[in-house]
Amino acid sequence: LQTKWEIFQNLNAVIGGRVDKDSRFATLPFNPRASLIYSPIENLNLKLIYGKAFVFPPPYFTYGVFQNPLQINQPNTNISPEEAQSGELNVSYALGNLFLNIGTFYNTQSNLFLLAGGAPSPSIVKDEIWVKNSEKALKLTQNTNSGNSKMYGFDSLFKYKFNGSHNMFLALSYVNGEY
């Protein structure tokens, strides 16, 4: 569901949201999204964007069972959904065949999905289990949630259209983050 509201002649707001349903969870999360779009002159747009997301764990992640030479992985039906929030500021300008866009962003994620394996790891259920006819002990693991992350950066795009049907693109992005 989304709606657009013209606040002033050059200022618009777009507000929307989505509700997700997964039969494995009782929660019905609401994912809002909002943006302000300011156009001080023709072909120049400034956008301020906020969004929130809720990602259910995929079934293969919840019920993943496998064995390799180091571990046996068991299902984990207690995995929680990931949650994310993002904020962006974009400036775009179009003039004839030229288009420029520069944006910056900051994102946070929580309850990250962690695929079993590695050490030390919160996915280790038991350090040592023995399988019949095995020569060494294996680790018992399960996929789980672990930790948070933050990412920030910028991206830019230069696009030029020439000869009517050809486009030239130049893009530059920078992303940094921490887990």
Side-chain angles (χ1 to χ4, degrees):
L1 185 62
Q2 179 174 301
T3 187
K4 183 179 178 182
W5 175 38
E6 186 176 337
I7 301 169
F8 300 110
Q9 183 178 353
N10 296 346
L11 181 63
N12 291 295
V14 178
I15 299 171
R18 184 184 80 225
V19 175
D20 293 320
K21 170 102 173 91
D22 186 315
S23 61
R24 297 172 296 156
F25 295 89
T27 307
L28 284 174
F30 176 67
N31 297 305
R33 185 159 173 88
S35 61
L36 285 174
I37 304 157
Y38 179 59
S39 303
I41 60 172
E42 188 176 350
N43 300 325
L44 176 64
N45 293 308
L46 291 94
K47 294 180 185 177
L48 181 61
I49 304 167
Y50 169 79
K52 186 174 181 183
F54 191 90
V55 181
F56 291 107
Y60 70 84
F61 200 85
T62 304
Y63 303 107
V65 176
F66 62 85
Q67 179 177 346
N68 63 35
L70 303 174
Q71 70 194 58
I72 295 177
N73 196 70
Q74 69 181 13
N76 181 1
T77 57
N78 294 317
I79 292 178
S80 299
E82 285 184 340
E83 294 184 40
Q85 292 189 62
S86 65
E88 301 175 40
L89 176 62
N90 292 302
V91 178
S92 62
Y93 182 70
L95 181 63
N97 293 338
L98 177 66
F99 176 78
L100 299 167
N101 186 73
I102 297 173
T104 185
F105 63 88
Y106 181 79
N107 301 328
T108 62
Q109 295 83 26
S110 60
N111 276 339
L112 295 173
F113 300 142
L114 177 64
L115 186 62
S121 171
S123 66
I124 297 173
V125 177
K126 193 169 185 182
D127 281 323
E128 207 174 90
I129 62 168
W130 289 89
V131 178
K132 188 175 181 178
N133 298 328
S134 177
E135 296 180 12
K136 68 177 191 170
L138 302 175
K139 293 185 184 310
L140 179 62
T141 61
Q142 63 185 11
N143 299 331
T144 189
N145 297 98
S146 179
N148 305 312
S149 70
K150 296 176 186 174
M151 291 204 284
Y152 56 90
F154 73 88
D155 52 30
S156 58
L157 173 67
F158 168 84
K159 177 181 164 184
Y160 184 73
K161 187 173 187 174
F162 59 97
N163 291 343
S165 62
H166 295 84
N167 291 309
M168 178 177 66
F169 294 91
L170 177 63
L172 174 66
S173 295
Y174 170 79
V175 179
N176 198 353
E178 58 187 59
Y179 172 77

